[in-house]
Amino acid sequence: MKARLISVIVPCYNEEAALPLFLDALRKTGAELYDEFACNTELLFVDDGSRDATLAVLRDAARTESNVRYLSFSRNFGKEAAMYAGLQHAKGDYVVIMDADLQHPPAMLRDMIATLNAGGYDCAAARRVSRDGEPPLRSFFSRRFYRLINRISDTEIVDGACDFRMMTRRMVDAILSLREYNRFSKGIFSWVGFRTKWLPFENQERVAGETKWSFWGLLVYAIQGIVGFSTVPLALVALLGILLCVAALLTVVYIIIKTLLFGDPVGGWPSMACMVMFMGGVQLFCMGILGEYLAKTYLEVKRRPVYVLSETDADADSTPPDADSNSRNP
Ligand code: UDP
Ligand code: MG
């Protein structure tokens, strides 16, 4: 199947500085893609509750350019929610997710379309070949995270895989059929299966603005990934419990024998205090792991929506949302 419409989903959070540059770049790329593949591109921006002029820039772009659409959230729901909303609203035969900061080179769209058009693949995804330019501590923990999650999860999470990927309609529909609230896309993309072609790319500098990820944010994201795609920590907790029981039993036998052989001098309370504290710590730690799963379950059963829309391009002008999706690029 050859694509007639490519949807480009762009999550934006406080990207007023980067957006004009992004729009410029995509305008050019869109025209090139039309010439080469005879396909139109629609740009679907998702304003993730930005506090700057991002929404105003988007309103403006949607008014002047027929292939620009936008959704705006009522508050910041996170990039995962923005990607989900984008996938739900995209109409294209192929759908691609791109960052607004031009860290994902638009030139790669060509290769992605060519890969999917050739058949055999349902996804063409960018994969970073190096972590140059990233703080060393962040690289170190990222690598550890990928090693860990791939050991304890059945779903493969590829190191260096970006959210920058183009997917066919059937893969997008499969992703949308996963309705979980705690979304970890790196896992979801891999869980739905389909053949993915990895396209290597070098880390690019952000064109403007600054990254939204703090170390703490990444840590929370990593824990969400582990809890979402593996129950091995729960099994480890049980194993730890059994091991400690065995150790306790051996200690009891040792104490009985020692008492029978050497009598029962009162002593050893410092080691007892240490044991009590150690066991308390282990128990709290294990309860914490259980609690993490319970908390996620609690959030899932509430069935809250992943995001809340406050405005879309359809509100801004009263043209029906379908009206301009097949128009030619400017
Ligand atoms: N983003 C978002 N919601 C957020 C944080 C980020 O939609 O809460 C968007 C952001 O505007 C950008 C993309 O996600 O288009 C990637 O964010 P960023 O560049 O900060 O991440 P990095 O490239 O540093 O991993
Ligand atoms: Mg970025």
Side-chain angles (χ1 to χ4, degrees):
M1 184 193 75
K2 300 265 189 287
R4 284 184 303 114
L5 180 66
I6 316 276
S7 296
V8 183
I9 298 171
V10 193
C12 309
Y13 179 51
N14 295 344
E15 299 286 5
E16 64 174 359
L19 274 178
L21 301 165
F22 181 87
L23 279 161
D24 266 354
L26 264 285
R27 220 170 276 136
K28 252 183 57 207
T29 313
E32 284 165 15
L33 295 180
Y34 183 82
D35 291 339
E36 187 166 353
F37 298 101
C39 59
N40 293 304
T41 38
E42 68 164 359
L43 302 181
L44 178 53
F45 293 92
V46 185
D47 164 38
D48 186 11
S50 301
R51 291 166 190 280
D52 63 0
T54 298
L55 182 57
V57 176
L58 294 180
R59 277 195 199 115
D60 227 42
R63 208 173 28 242
T64 52
E65 291 173 54
S66 62
N67 66 331
V68 173
R69 295 165 60 206
Y70 69 87
L71 310 167
S72 182
F73 288 176
S74 59
R75 65 168 170 84
N76 181 240
F77 281 90
K79 187 183 175 191
E80 289 287 340
M83 291 194 290
Y84 182 59
L87 291 174
Q88 277 186 325
H89 289 82
K91 298 177 191 147
D93 306 306
Y94 294 166
V95 178
V96 58
I97 301 171
M98 279 178 94
D99 284 2
D101 53 14
L102 287 177
Q103 276 182 315
H104 298 158
M108 281 183 76
L109 293 179
R110 239 200 107 258
D111 295 344
M112 291 181 167
I113 298 177
T115 303
L116 296 189
N117 273 350
Y121 291 100
D122 278 283
C123 179
R127 182 178 183 177
R128 279 194 301 184
V129 286
S130 75
R131 289 188 173 273
D132 297 346
E134 198 179 64
L137 199 67
R138 185 168 154 178
S139 294
F140 174 78
F141 280 107
S142 294
R143 287 216 181 84
R144 293 293 106 173
F145 165 71
Y146 283 106
R147 287 261 304 261
L148 175 71
I149 196 163
N150 282 316
R151 280 180 94 133
I152 64 176
S153 171
D154 295 336
T155 310
E156 196 197 358
I157 317 275
V158 179
D159 189 0
C162 303
D163 296 325
F164 181 29
R165 53 178 68 219
M166 186 178 284
M167 296 165 282
T168 56
R169 174 50 45 192
R170 63 178 174 176
M171 180 159 171
V172 172
D173 289 342
I175 289 168
L176 291 175
S177 70
L178 269 67
R179 301 193 178 283
E180 60 223 67
Y181 177 78
N182 294 289
R183 301 191 77 79
F184 182 69
S185 287
K186 286 186 200 317
I188 292 177
F189 291 141
S190 162
W191 188 92
V192 294
F194 295 107
R195 289 193 64 200
T196 299
K197 176 155 184 181
W198 297 102
L199 307 173
F201 94 110
E202 289 286 333
N203 226 4
Q204 310 281 322
E205 291 284 319
R206 217 174 206 288
V207 283
E210 54 193 41
T211 177
K212 315 303 180 300
W213 286 106
S214 61
F215 189 77
W216 179 249
L218 280 172
L219 185 70
V220 171
Y221 187 61
I223 292 175
Q224 181 163 338
I226 291 173
V227 173
F229 282 88
S230 172
T231 50
V232 169
L234 293 174
L236 286 180
V237 165
L239 190 70
L240 183 65
I242 292 171
L243 287 179
L244 284 173
C245 282
V246 171
L249 240 121
L250 292 177
T251 317
V252 167
V253 171
Y254 166 75
I255 289 171
I256 290 175
I257 293 174
K258 193 173 150 239
T259 313
L260 289 178
L261 290 182
F262 305 106
D264 184 22
V266 176
W269 69 267
S271 56
M272 185 71 76
C274 293
M275 294 272 275
V276 169
M277 281 197 288
F278 174 68
M279 287 312 299
V282 169
Q283 282 179 354
L284 280 181
F285 173 67
C286 294
M287 267 168 59
I289 293 182
L290 284 179
E292 201 55 45
Y293 283 88
L294 185 65
K296 291 285 185 271
T297 313
Y298 175 57
L299 290 173
E300 288 297 341
V301 296
K302 283 205 264 197
R303 294 236 145 265
R304 285 189 180 164
V306 176
Y307 59 88
V308 176
L309 286 180
S310 68
E311 181 185 325
T312 70
D313 50 297
D315 303 332
D317 55 41
S318 51
T319 51
D322 264 327
D324 44 44
S325 62
N326 279 333
S327 58
R328 194 199 185 289
N329 285 307

